[in-house]
Structure formats: C-alpha cells, structure tokens
Amino acid sequence: MGKCIGVLNYKGGTGKTTTVVNLGAGLALCGVRVLCVDLDAQGGLATCLGVPYRYSLTHMLLGQVEPEGCVVSARENLDIIPSDSSLVQAEGAMWRMNDNRLARQILGRKLQTLEDRYDYVLLDFSPSASIVSESGMRYMHDLIVPVATSYLAMVGTRQVIDTLKGISRTPCYSARLYLILPTFYAPRAQQDREVLGVLHHHFGDRVADPIRSNVKLTEAPSHHKTIFEYSPRSSAAADYRQLAERVLRER
C-alpha cells in the first residue's frame, strides 16, 4: 500500500503545486514509484509537467472511466491523474448524492484500487475548500503545509490545521500534520527569518528545511520541466532533493 501525502494551504501562492511536482519528481529520481493526483480545477500538474491527457479526475469520480484509465505517465517512476475545469461537474454530482458520507468516500475508494502500484501518492489540493478536497483529506495519511514566509500565509496554515483536526475526530480517519514547509524563503530578509522563527516556535521539528526563493522555480513550469530538469544545480533543486530524502527516511 502506497503512503498518501497531501499538500495543502488555503492561502494561494504558497508553492503548493510546485511542491507536489518537485517532491514527486525528487522521489521518482530516488527510484520509488509516485502518483500525483490533481484535486484542483486549475489543472496545474499537467500544465507544469507538459503532459497531454484524454481522461481526468472528473472521469474517474463520475465513474465514466476506470481509475487506471485516468493515469498518465509524466516521467520515469512518476505518473499523474490530471484535472481541469470539468472538475466542477464532478463536485456538483457529489453534492447531489443522497448519501453525503458515500460521496466523501468516492475519491478514496477509487484511489485504493491503484495503491499497490505506487510507493507514494501525492495529492495536490485546491486552495479553496470543496467536497473533493474534503474527500482527499479523509483519504490521505500525512499532510504537508507549504507556507510562504509571510505573516499572511500563516493565516491559511491555521485554517488547514483546524480543518485537519476536525477530520481527525471522524471515526476511521487518522490524518496527521506531517510537515510545515517554508517556501519562497530569502535568508537575508529579516521578515523571512522572523516568520521561520515563529514556525519553529509553534511546530518544532515538524518544520522542514525551507525552500529558498529562486527564479528557476518560477521559470521551470513555463518550460514544462521539473526543477531537476530545468536547473539541476540550483539551490531550489538542492532544497527539493533534501525534502524528498527526508520523506524517504521517515516513511
């Protein structure tokens, strides 16, 4: 059974999709099998990786295509289930189901059929709360919260943690806060150092080493490349490689 890790912050612009893409790629480069699932109707995963597809998460949730038919190979050891604006249709259908409990289990039940094929399943959440996002939180094991090193970003972090606590009180669900991941970190900026200190004070060893701000990270998606492909010697590649190694050690 693969380990499922969600990446979520309700504050936009924290590097959520960037983290899913590059953590997934880093793990894949270490030789483990990874599936990244896009739970965001903006469809960032397929765009960042430059992957064409025929079927998406919508087809899987609506039962129009079997889960394995929605899986697309993105790189060696790295597959994705893409999403796009059609995900709104799936959310509407889930809300209209008479059994809300069953609706929130559809995602997990579909993904369970794929688990034996992968060592890790990474969920790229939407920054907005939705029934698909709640389904993802009920399915995942661990949560990584990327936090841009600004005070406003920490507000979204608190909202995520409060939501996670509510889900964790639900019988049969045991998701936990795994890592706080500081992103867009500028070591020379006083505010960034202060925010990092606040995170360490509140979360201790759950705070991962920060992902340093690097223009290569913003350029890579426009070239449909991971940071390891676009700029393998950059500080950003080193930071995401280190994150992947930590995840592997703590499996």
Side-chain angles (χ1 to χ4, degrees):
M1 177 179 177
K3 182 174 184 179
C4 182
I5 300 175
V7 180
L8 168 66
N9 193 322
Y10 289 133
K11 175 72 171 64
T14 61
K16 177 180 55 64
T17 299
T18 297
T19 293
V20 172
V21 167
N22 292 300
L23 173 57
L27 290 169
L29 287 171
C30 291
V32 298
R33 300 164 301 167
V34 182
L35 173 66
C36 297
V37 184
D38 198 339
L39 305 185
D40 190 344
Q42 294 185 37
L45 282 186
T47 300
C48 288
L49 291 167
V51 178
Y53 61 92
R54 182 177 181 183
Y55 300 116
S56 69
L57 182 66
T58 298
H59 295 92
M60 187 184 84
L61 292 174
L62 295 179
Q64 297 171 343
V65 178
E66 292 299 314
E68 57 269 22
C70 300
V71 173
V72 182
S73 175
R75 302 291 190 274
E76 184 177 0
N77 292 327
L78 179 62
D79 294 345
I80 71 168
I81 295 180
S83 281
D84 51 38
S85 58
S86 68
L87 187 60
V88 176
Q89 301 174 21
E91 291 178 346
M94 292 167 72
W95 278 117
R96 289 191 295 271
M97 290 182 66
N98 293 326
D99 189 336
N100 287 332
R101 181 171 176 271
L102 179 61
R104 287 164 171 77
Q105 293 176 342
I106 290 177
L107 177 68
R109 290 183 176 181
K110 299 284 188 180
L111 292 178
Q112 282 173 354
T113 66
L114 302 172
E115 285 179 346
D116 291 342
R117 297 171 52 179
Y118 300 99
D119 300 294
Y120 289 92
V121 177
L122 304 182
L123 304 182
D124 184 12
F125 282 85
S126 166
S128 302
S130 69
I131 190 169
V132 172
S133 291
E134 185 179 337
S135 300
M137 293 191 78
R138 289 168 180 263
Y139 170 69
M140 71 185 180
H141 307 132
D142 293 331
L143 179 65
I144 293 176
V145 182
V147 181
T149 44
S150 68
Y151 288 107
L152 287 177
M154 290 194 290
V155 175
T157 303
R158 176 52 58 188
Q159 292 174 338
V160 171
I161 293 169
D162 289 343
T163 301
L164 181 62
K165 287 179 179 178
I167 295 295
S168 297
R169 288 193 290 268
T170 304
C172 302
Y173 297 101
S174 56
R176 64 162 183 154
L177 175 63
Y178 173 40
L179 291 175
I180 300 291
L181 179 66
T183 55
F184 300 101
Y185 178 65
R188 296 183 180 180
Q190 181 177 346
Q191 175 184 272
D192 290 34
R193 296 195 302 270
E194 290 176 353
V195 171
L196 187 60
V198 170
L199 292 174
H200 277 290
H201 175 74
H202 287 287
F203 301 105
D205 60 5
R206 290 183 179 177
V207 180
D209 290 332
I211 306 297
R212 287 166 286 181
S213 182
N214 190 304
V215 68
K216 300 298 183 182
L217 271 179
T218 60
E219 293 174 350
S222 66
H223 295 270
H224 306 302
K225 292 183 177 181
T226 71
I227 192 61
F228 304 105
E229 296 165 333
Y230 184 68
S231 186
R233 296 184 180 180
S234 65
S235 62
D239 292 343
Y240 274 111
R241 188 177 297 110
Q242 183 170 264
L243 176 63
E245 290 171 351
R246 173 169 180 170
V247 170
L248 285 171
R249 285 196 309 271
E250 297 177 351
R251 184 176 181 183

